[in-house]
């Protein structure tokens, strides 16, 4: 059953949204992208003549009530965006009365799911790997089922529209689906778009297919890189993780970020890429800084000849020119992670240029481009290019796990 086909008239729908929005010190929302992302699903339910119960987490309260992470702070923002006054239930685990009193056309927001340890199903205060931890986990699993059943009891239909948490087997993202039949559970519009965008890249990619993988550590994206080697024509590796590859080949990288223990894996990735005919492109020269600060002295060095007292901070013009050619000749582009220290203005240039190349390839050459991961998304937003790429993913971790070839529990719970 798809959300488009379903008629919500006379039905109460409990919707897992991702309202984990950033707040300032006064509890005001500083970026409402995630709230806006959920609107098509929420508005469809209300327009059909249904009622909507929204549930979400915020932050990491670790199973304890924390007023600074209360969703009550964002009810006004949701009300304005939705065009309906949003009611609030102070306790997501005891909201039977609020749910029962909800009339068709009305909207209710439940308090932060993660105020309950049952939501994540992770024991706290017990050391991982110990018999005590395993025992606590088993007990919590039973409690998690009961918690999910309670949430399910509030509604007739379950909709999951929180792609950012789709890689978690939590009570509200996966376990709850067991309490609804196949015709009463579905993905929301946002989730459907995310799943389709990833399928376009992994299963239906047009060639040449280029993946741009950046960020600081090889260890966090090794599985992704390995899975992509079977799919891509070009693999651009930028950012901090590139220095591990350079050092593994005997290059001098100064005090640049790297992971010595991952050097054998880096060499293995290069060997597999060669064997499969994948063009693996590393930076040829890098913009370095004397210190890790915005105003430090800057100088460009060949990537394998960085003096001891310098560290690589951004891609050089020479590297960017080489990458531009690859990106502009591509028909499918996947971009995850910055190619420099994007948070420092003087070292954000390379990431900004990549954003422009990806947008140009999409707009002028008709490439399909999928952008995901915090800094990559921030870059396309910063330069006003979000509407010039094919799709901007809302879920960094979920997108990475999907690209790694892993099954996402939040999707599998509905689609099987």
């Amino acid at each position: 059953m798809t959300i488009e086909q379903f008629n919500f008239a006379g039905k109460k729908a409990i919707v897992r949204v991702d309202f984990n929005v950033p707040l300032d010190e006064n509890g005001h929302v500083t970026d409402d992208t995630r709230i806006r992302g959920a609107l098509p699903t929420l508005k469809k339910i209300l327009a059909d003549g249904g009622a909507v119960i929204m549930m979400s987490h915020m932050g990491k309260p670790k199973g304890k009530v924390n007023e600074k992470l209360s969703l009550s702070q964002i009810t006004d923002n949701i009300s304005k965006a939705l065009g309906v006054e949003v009611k609030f239930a102070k306790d997501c685990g005891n909201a039977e009365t609020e749910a029962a009193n909800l009339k068709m056309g009305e909207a209710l927001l439940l308090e932060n799911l993660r105020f309950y340890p049952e939501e994540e199903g992770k024991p706290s205060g017990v050391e991982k790997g110990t018999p005590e931890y395993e025992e606590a986990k088993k007990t919590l699993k039973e409690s998690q089922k009961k918690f999910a059943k309670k949430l399910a009891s509030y509604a007739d239909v379950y909709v999951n529209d929180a792609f950012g948490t789709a890689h978690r087997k939590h009570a509200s993202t996966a376990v709850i689906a067991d309490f609804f039949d196949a015709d009463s559970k579905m993905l929301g519009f946002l989730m459907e778009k995310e799943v389709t965008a990833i399928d376009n890249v992994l299963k239906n990619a047009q060639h040449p297919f280029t993946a741009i993988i950046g960020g600081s550590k090889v260890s966090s994206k090794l599985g992704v890189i390995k899975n992509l080697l079977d799919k891509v024509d070009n693999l651009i590796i930028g950012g901090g993780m590139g220095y591990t590859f350079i050092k593994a080949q005997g290059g001098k990288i100064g005090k640049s970020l790297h992971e010595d223990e991952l050097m054998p894996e880096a060499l293995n990735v290069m060997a597999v890429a060669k064997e499969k005919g994948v063009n693996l492109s590393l930076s040829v020269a890098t913009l370095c800084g004397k210190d890790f600060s915005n105003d430090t002295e800057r100088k460009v060095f060949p990537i394998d000849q960085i003096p001891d007292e310098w560290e690589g901070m951004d891609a050089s013009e020479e590297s960017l020119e080489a990458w531009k050619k690859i990106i502009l000749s591509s028909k499918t582009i996947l971009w995850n992670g910055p190619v420099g220290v994007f948070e420092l203005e003087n070292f954000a240039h390379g990431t900004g240029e990549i954003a422009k190349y990806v947008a140009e390839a999409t707009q002028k050459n008709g490439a399909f481009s999928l952008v995901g991961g915090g800094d990559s998304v921030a870059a396309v937003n910063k330069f006003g290019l979000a509407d010039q790429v094919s799709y901007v993913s809302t879920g960094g971790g979920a997108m990475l796990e999907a690209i790694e070839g892993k099954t996402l529990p939040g999707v599998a719970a509905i689609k099987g």
Side-chain angles (χ1 to χ4, degrees), residues 53-100:
I53 299 166
M54 296 163 276
M55 55 177 174
S56 176
H57 75 284
M58 182 181 276
K60 295 179 178 175
K62 295 182 178 170
K64 293 185 174 71
V65 174
N66 178 344
E67 287 309 319
K68 285 185 177 169
L69 296 174
S70 171
L71 290 173
S72 61
Q73 300 168 99
I74 67 170
T75 49
D76 286 349
N77 298 78
I78 304 165
S79 298
K80 261 184 217 143
L82 197 53
V84 171
E85 188 201 337
V86 173
K87 300 171 189 291
F88 185 70
K90 287 178 185 172
D91 182 348
C92 61
N94 291 291
E96 298 94 333
T97 307
E98 291 93 335

Side-chain angles (χ1 to χ4, degrees), residues 255 289-294 296-297 309 311 313 344 347:
K255 53 180 185 177
K290 272 272 178 88
D291 299 298
F292 193 87
S293 69
N294 191 52
T296 190
E297 191 184 336
E309 68 276 17
E311 66 181 299
M313 304 272 275
L344 301 180
F347 299 99

Side-chain angles (χ1 to χ4, degrees), residues 290-327:
K290 272 272 178 88
D291 299 298
F292 193 87
S293 69
N294 191 52
D295 303 319
T296 190
E297 191 184 336
R298 287 174 288 161
K299 200 171 178 182
V300 174
F301 293 101
I303 189 103
D304 56 355
Q305 293 170 42
I306 303 171
D308 289 347
E309 68 276 17
W310 292 81
E311 66 181 299
M313 304 272 275
D314 197 11
S316 67
E317 292 301 333
E318 194 185 346
S319 300
L320 292 168
E321 275 307 310
W323 291 343
K324 183 179 185 179
K325 280 184 192 146
I326 296 170
I327 294 166

Side-chain angles (χ1 to χ4, degrees), residues 158-169:
Y158 169 62
V159 183
N160 191 347
D161 209 23
F163 184 73
T165 59
H167 57 316
R168 309 287 188 207
K169 194 169 183 179

